[in-house]
Amino acid sequence: THDVHIIGGGLAGSEAAWQLAEAGLKVRLSEMRGGGDTTPAHDTDRLAEMVCSNSFRSDDASSNAVGLLHQEMRRLGSLIMACADEHRVPAGSALAVDRDGFAQCVSEQVFSHANITLERERIDALPTSGMTIVATGPLTGSKLAESIAEATGKDALAFFDAIAPIVHKDSIDLDIAWFQSRWDKGEGKDYLNCPMDKEQYEAFVQALIDGDKTEFKEWEKDTPYFEGCMPIEVMAERGIDTLRHGPMKPVGLDNPRTGRWPYAVVQLRQDNALGTLWNIVGFQTKLKYGAQAEIFRMIPGLEKAEFARLGGIHRNSFIRSPELLDEQLRLKSMPHIRFAGQITGCEGYLESAAVGLMAARFAAAEAKGETFEAPPQETAFGALLSHITGGAEAETYQPMNVNFGLFPPIEGKMKKANRRLKYTERARAAFADWAERTGTRVGELEPA
Ligand code: FAD
């Protein structure tokens, strides 16, 4: 018998199991690796295997949202952070780890916890009752994925992310770009438009064709995805005017500086409720990150663009969380089921573990007849959670790393470095207030 069933022993599931067990609850953790199944990306049967890079990214808590999340996780007793710290390898200001030592550490801690029973089993359907956390990640087993799609509706579960780049609004040049919806339909402020003349457009199309691209992996090739999310560079290759008749169509958009439609246009659409992040419409791409930054800064108005996220297309199962989940990560239509990790639409090892930690705190409180109040949006935890459970636009929802664009904006003119410092200072104060108000036990702040 158990209090909570966790499906998936990756970054999120392992953290969630640990948090629940430490709170005194009995956990059944189902992991299919080691039981005759695997995913196309995992190589071992260890829990919390890092499938690609060995880095948890920046560990700088004073000027970086990722480093800030590290700090908040350590203060809430994260197992993932404890093992990462123990198996750290030199990487400048980043937190990189010995991946084997790290996964071994997580596995041993989970195996040896008296409150956790690890079952090497594949789960093929959402349990119909009993408190459950689904943390099966970007490569969720296909039968379980079908069962999730049945519960959420087919359109609400994606198998690929077709990620268009996202730009910080304050880095867009509003002397060049202008607000307007095509044919003035909808709200006037729905789109930001960047105009191109013929010469700029042709150079841009050529740059897309010439840019460095990443290849699809073998196992990604046979999943059909192309309808509606063809990479921008593939469109560019189809003919010089393909983009001008597609996502870069200028009709119905009057450039206020010339009074005319431009030759071609790049549109950006608001990406979060705060209005701090804007995505480039239709610009999903397999271009390498370096090439993307260079090529997209050729767009008039985006010369100094700062990207919250660059574009991509990968195999990735995730649900349309902003619409489907309540603020405690419960599936609204089946509230005994919570989701955690990358399947909620966060992106990255660290973020997945962080959402696992939060899901466990919510579940632990619920099991004890209490309520866990999540940290406020000014903190890294709060910013990430609000993005998942409501802040992001459901229609265009795509996985996202933690970044300052998810925090309530700090207004006023100041240097970028000062603004970052202000975000992290405000976050620490908000975290301390929250801990005190809610009586949550938190660890000391480590010395800077
Ligand atoms: P996972 O860590 O994938 O854990 C999910 C677990 O659930 C797995 O152990 C799986 O075996 C198990 N499972 C799945 N279905 C079932 C089932 N039906 N029954 C039982 N168990 C099941 N993030 C980064 O930060 N840096 C990177 O460099 C990076 N590279 C990536 C490369 C690839 C190819 C992929 C696919 C993802 C990459 N990611 C990277 C994202 C990374 O996978 C996630 O950030 C992170 O591992 C997600 O954590 P998770 O716990 O949600 O899922």
Side-chain angles (χ1 to χ4, degrees):
T1 61
H2 54 266
D3 302 305
V4 184
H5 182 191
I6 299 178
I7 311 176
L11 277 294
S14 305
E15 181 70 57
W18 175 259
Q19 293 286 331
L20 280 158
E22 287 286 283
L25 291 150
K26 297 269 183 226
V27 178
R28 167 175 159 206
L29 176 59
S30 300
E31 168 53 56
M32 69 178 183
R33 287 178 296 120
D37 284 285
T38 188
T39 80
H42 288 84
D43 283 332
T44 74
D45 61 7
R46 292 199 185 102
L47 302 180
E49 179 182 333
M50 300 167 96
V51 293
C52 187
S53 104
N54 66 329
S55 172
F56 286 93
R57 319 205 305 284
S58 172
D59 199 30
D60 171 359
S62 60
S63 65
N64 192 295
V66 179
L68 185 66
L69 186 56
H70 286 178
Q71 186 173 61
E72 292 180 6
M73 288 188 58
R74 287 187 182 108
R75 298 189 71 189
L76 288 182
S78 157
L79 171 68
I80 293 297
M81 290 307 295
C83 287
D85 286 335
E86 203 176 310
H87 292 276
R88 187 174 196 136
V89 295
S93 61
L95 173 58
V97 303
D98 172 317
R99 70 176 73 236
D100 294 328
F102 164 76
Q104 190 61 32
C105 170
V106 174
S107 303
E108 277 166 13
Q109 295 288 334
V110 169
F111 296 153
S112 61
H113 204 297
N115 285 342
I116 304 176
T117 310
L118 176 68
E119 303 285 356
R120 298 289 188 172
E121 61 184 357
R122 193 185 72 215
I123 303 294
D124 284 340
L126 286 177
T128 49
S129 64
M131 204 184 285
T132 304
I133 298 178
V134 179
T136 44
L139 305 167
T140 293
S142 54
K143 288 225 171 81
L144 182 61
E146 277 169 31
S147 166
I148 294 170
E150 230 168 80
T152 60
K154 282 229 170 336
D155 292 350
L157 173 73
F159 289 98
F160 263 99
D161 50 21
I163 301 183
I166 293 188
V167 181
H168 287 277
K169 180 173 169 225
D170 57 10
S171 69
I172 302 173
D173 185 347
L174 296 179
D175 289 333
I176 298 178
W178 79 96
F179 289 102
Q180 188 188 10
S181 296
R182 203 180 297 279
W183 306 115
D184 292 318
K185 285 187 183 147
E187 292 289 318
K189 295 227 158 199
D190 286 356
Y191 288 89
L192 260 170
N193 303 283
C194 300
M196 280 188 190
D197 62 24
K198 185 163 189 285
E199 205 176 317
Q200 288 165 330
Y201 173 76
E202 287 173 357
F204 183 70
V205 169
Q206 197 55 48
L208 290 174
I209 294 172
D210 295 341
D212 256 359
K213 291 146 196 118
T214 46
E215 296 296 323
F216 277 103
K217 304 215 171 55
E218 268 314 305
W219 46 271
E220 288 179 321
K221 283 184 185 152
D222 30 305
T223 312
Y225 74 98
F226 268 131
E227 312 95 80
C229 62
M230 190 185 295
I232 183 92
E233 63 277 9
V234 174
M235 278 187 261
E237 275 164 9
R238 296 210 161 167
I240 185 72
D241 285 326
T242 305
L243 282 170
R244 228 162 62 80
H245 294 145
M248 295 180 69
K249 189 164 57 184
V251 297
L253 293 168
D254 313 283
N255 185 347
R257 275 119 213 158
T258 63
R260 308 179 47 179
W261 300 351
Y263 188 74
V265 83
V266 172
Q267 288 201 297
L268 294 99
R269 183 166 52 211
Q270 187 170 331
D271 198 76
N272 63 347
L274 296 171
T276 48
L277 299 175
W278 288 64
N279 66 64
I280 314 188
V281 180
F283 271 42
Q284 58 277 356
T285 176
K286 292 289 279 182
L287 285 165
K288 290 198 171 149
Y289 283 174
Q292 286 188 43
E294 205 172 292
I295 296 171
F296 296 149
R297 287 192 186 119
M298 291 169 71
I299 298 168
L302 300 189
E303 291 87 347
K304 297 199 171 135
E306 297 280 343
F307 295 94
R309 185 184 71 194
L310 284 158
I313 300 177
H314 320 92
R315 173 78 209 278
N316 191 0
S317 357
F318 65 98
I319 58 169
R320 206 185 275 171
S321 297
E323 186 177 287
L324 297 172
L325 302 186
D326 69 9
E327 72 289 350
Q328 288 201 24
L329 298 165
R330 284 178 299 215
L331 191 58
K332 288 177 191 163
S333 59
M334 293 169 84
H336 66 287
I337 307 259
R338 278 191 169 77
F339 282 86
Q342 187 139 328
I343 197 165
T344 64
C346 62
E347 167 84 32
Y349 305 137
L350 174 76
E351 288 84 345
S352 297
V355 178
L357 192 154
M358 283 289 130
R361 293 290 175 113
F362 287 129
E366 189 179 318
K368 294 177 179 175
E370 300 162 2
T371 327
F372 173 71
E373 181 190 322
Q377 204 181 354
E378 286 76 13
T379 65
F381 267 122
L384 186 61
L385 261 188
S386 346
H387 177 71
I388 293 168
T389 60
E393 291 295 327
E395 282 295 312
T396 57
Y397 189 57
Q398 290 290 342
M400 172 89 96
N401 287 126
V402 67
N403 68 79
F404 288 133
L406 304 181
F407 292 61
I410 285 183
E411 306 286 358
K413 257 196 150 30
M414 67 190 85
K415 288 211 170 103
K416 215 191 298 178
N418 287 344
R419 194 183 306 277
R420 291 181 167 177
L421 205 58
K422 281 204 185 300
Y423 274 114
T424 58
E425 282 170 358
R426 184 181 66 178
R428 265 184 288 281
F431 191 84
D433 272 358
W434 163 80
E436 194 177 312
R437 190 178 67 248
T438 57
T440 307
R441 247 204 2 234
V442 298
E444 291 291 308
L445 261 183
E446 68 254 47

